[in-house]
Amino acid sequence: MPSRSITFNPDTGVPYGANLTIYGGSDFNTTFNVTDDANNNFNLTGYTGSAAISKSVSIGATLGITTTFTVGITSAIGGKLKISLGSVATRNLAEGRYVYDVLIKSGSTTYTLVNGNIMVVPVVSAAP
C-alpha cells in the first residue's frame, strides 16, 4: 500500500485529511510520513497511536466503531506511522463508505493526527 506524506502541527488542533480505499479480502496497510510545518520529520518519540474505522451514517446519528486498525510507529525520529488490517478483517467489512481517524497520544494529551473517508470495495470472486 502507498505511503502518504502529511503535515501535522499539534498547536492548531486540526487533523490532516486523507481518503483511503480498502479492498475486501486483501491485507490493508498504509504508512503516514509525518512532517511539521517546516517540512521536517515530526518526532514521534514518546507517542503511542490508535486508529479506528466506523460506518459512515447520516448527520445526527451516533457513530460506533466498526473495527480498529493495528497501529505501529515504524520510525519515531523519522515520523513514520503505519496502520493496517489483515485480510480476514477487510473481508468482514461491508461494501460502502466509512470514516476513520488516527490518534496519537503523548502523556495525557491526545491529538487527532489524520482522518477522512474510507471506501470499502467488496470481494467479487475467490482465488482458485
Side-chain angles (χ1 to χ4, degrees):
M1 285 288 165
S3 293
R4 296 188 176 260
S5 295
I6 64 171
T7 303
F8 176 66
N9 180 340
D11 296 329
T12 64
V14 178
Y16 189 90
N19 295 329
L20 306 171
T21 302
I22 293 176
Y23 296 94
S26 298
D27 288 334
F28 167 83
N29 66 73
T30 194
T31 298
F32 295 103
N33 301 311
V34 186
T35 59
D36 61 19
D37 289 335
N39 206 29
N40 298 313
N41 293 337
F42 186 87
N43 189 342
L44 292 167
T45 301
Y47 285 86
T48 58
S50 63
I53 181 174
S54 177
K55 186 68 176 157
S56 180
V57 295
S58 63
I59 295 175
T62 303
L63 295 177
I65 292 175
T66 301
T67 192
T68 56
F69 292 96
T70 299
V71 178
I73 294 175
T74 58
S75 175
I77 293 174
K80 296 186 185 306
L81 180 136
K82 178 180 175 180
I83 63 171
S84 60
L85 281 175
S87 60
V88 172
T90 64
R91 185 178 298 111
N92 292 328
L93 291 172
E95 173 184 12
R97 187 170 64 93
Y98 292 75
V99 293
Y100 80 100
D101 60 13
V102 178
L103 307 177
I104 57 173
K105 182 175 181 177
S106 178
S108 62
T109 305
T110 301
Y111 303 97
T112 303
L113 179 67
V114 60
N115 64 11
N117 295 306
I118 295 182
M119 178 57 78
V120 174
V121 179
V123 177
V124 175
S125 61

